[in-house]
């Protein structure tokens, strides 16, 4: 079946602009996660959704970052007033129920802020 | 600051050699996972270990969880070029099992 998909695969923007990154989880998965992976580093947790609600947003670096999952399926990560330091690969993962369930990752969106 | 330290950061070996990658922390984890990531793709889960001292084998890969659940190792026997990739360990801290803390990764290159 289809895995986690993310769009766009690459996004280039200018400093100060607004961007939206989309994640389509595996059908039926109730838990959805966003991570950020900088060059040469492992993924860093940003936010976790269980259904429509953000169960844990402790990893969001500041209030420029926001994520939604209005219908409990697709999620959008929104970044306002982008900065060069936001450049990274943004990974989305989903799992069937959260907790210790296996997280399946998408291919990521590579964001470059010029 | 990474809670999980991986070593070595880079490893380049010849086909047929053995290798071990280490993942260490001062924190106790309820479970620890190993992933492999290839360029342009997300991490793919290889194994989950949950019990202190646990050893799991996956073909030529052997994973061990430390007795105190603070460290883990991945041993590959007779490495092949297809093993090339970024190996990541990730831990779940009890009470925050949904949030994975990743190590910085070990980039393995197996030369033919």
């Amino acid at each position: 079946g289809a895995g986690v998909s993310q769009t766009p695969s690459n996004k280039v923007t200018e400093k100060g602009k607004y961007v939206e990154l989309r994640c389509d989880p595996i059908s039926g998965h109730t838990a959805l996660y966003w991570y950020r992976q900088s060059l040469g580093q492992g993924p860093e947790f940003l936010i976790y959704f269980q259904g429509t609600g953000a169960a844990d947003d402790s990893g969001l670096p500041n209030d420029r970052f926001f994520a939604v999952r209005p219908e409990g399926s697709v999620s959008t990560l929104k970044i306002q007033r982008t900065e060069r330091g936001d450049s990274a690969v943004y990974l989305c993962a989903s799992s069937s129920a959260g907790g210790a369930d296996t997280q399946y990752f998408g291919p990521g969106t590579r964001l470059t802020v010029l | 600051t990474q809670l999980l330290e991986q070593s070595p950061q880079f490893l380049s070996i010849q086909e047929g050699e053995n290798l071990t990658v280490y993942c260490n922390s001062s924190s106790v984890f309820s479970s620890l996972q190993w992933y492999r990531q290839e360029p342009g793709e997300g991490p793919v889960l290889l194994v989950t270990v949950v019990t202190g001292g646990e050893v799991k084998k996956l073909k030529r890969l052997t994973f061990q969880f430390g007795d105190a659940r603070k460290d883990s190792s991945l041993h590959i026997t007779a490495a092949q070029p297809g093993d090339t990739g970024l190996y990541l360990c990730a831990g779940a801290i009890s009470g925050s099992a949904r949030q994975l803390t990743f190590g910085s990764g070990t980039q393995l290159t197996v030369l033919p």
Side-chain angles (χ1 to χ4, degrees), chain B:
Chain B
T1 303
Q2 299 275 163
L3 283 180
L4 281 167
E5 298 291 334
Q6 280 189 244
S7 62
Q9 187 176 358
F10 298 97
L11 188 57
S12 181
I13 61 172
Q14 293 293 135
E15 181 176 3
E17 293 184 354
N18 302 332
L19 67 113
T20 302
V21 176
Y22 300 92
C23 178
N24 296 293
S25 176
S26 57
S27 300
V28 176
F29 292 95
S30 59
S31 67
L32 196 137
Q33 301 176 338
W34 284 93
Y35 290 81
R36 183 175 149 208
Q37 185 177 23
E38 301 200 35
E41 298 181 8
V44 175
L45 180 67
L46 296 174
V47 78
T48 300
V49 286
V50 297
T51 305
E54 182 176 3
V55 177
K56 280 192 174 179
K57 292 193 174 184
L58 184 66
K59 297 184 180 178
R60 294 176 294 101
L61 279 60
T62 302
F63 305 85
Q64 184 164 8
F65 201 11
D67 291 341
R69 292 185 289 131
K70 293 183 178 181
D71 55 83
S72 181
S73 64
L74 158 60
H75 182 80
I76 302 179
T77 303
Q80 299 176 0
D83 295 328
T84 293
L86 179 68
Y87 288 82
L88 295 158
C89 63
I93 296 175
S94 183
S96 301
R98 297 163 186 85
Q99 177 188 127
L100 290 177
T101 299
F102 281 85
S104 54
T106 294
Q107 180 61 54
L108 171 66
T109 303
V110 182
L111 303 170

Side-chain angles (χ1 to χ4, degrees), chain A residues 31-113:
Chain A
L32 185 146
Y33 311 79
W34 283 99
Y35 293 84
R36 176 169 71 173
Q37 187 172 22
S38 300
L39 192 63
Q41 298 294 319
E44 179 184 21
F45 171 78
L46 295 177
I47 187 170
Y48 153 65
F49 286 90
Q50 184 62 259
T52 60
D56 184 351
D57 64 357
S58 61
L60 294 177
N62 52 59
D63 61 6
R64 295 186 298 105
F65 289 75
F66 189 71
V68 296
R69 195 186 185 200
E71 298 179 357
S73 178
V74 171
S75 177
T76 304
L77 178 65
K78 307 180 181 192
I79 310 175
Q80 297 177 319
R81 304 183 305 280
T82 51
E83 299 177 357
R84 292 195 179 88
D86 298 335
S87 296
V89 174
Y90 288 81
L91 293 165
C92 176
S94 70
S95 68
S96 59
D101 283 2
T102 299
Q103 296 183 24
Y104 296 88
F105 284 82
T109 292
R110 180 175 297 279
L111 175 66
T112 303
V113 182

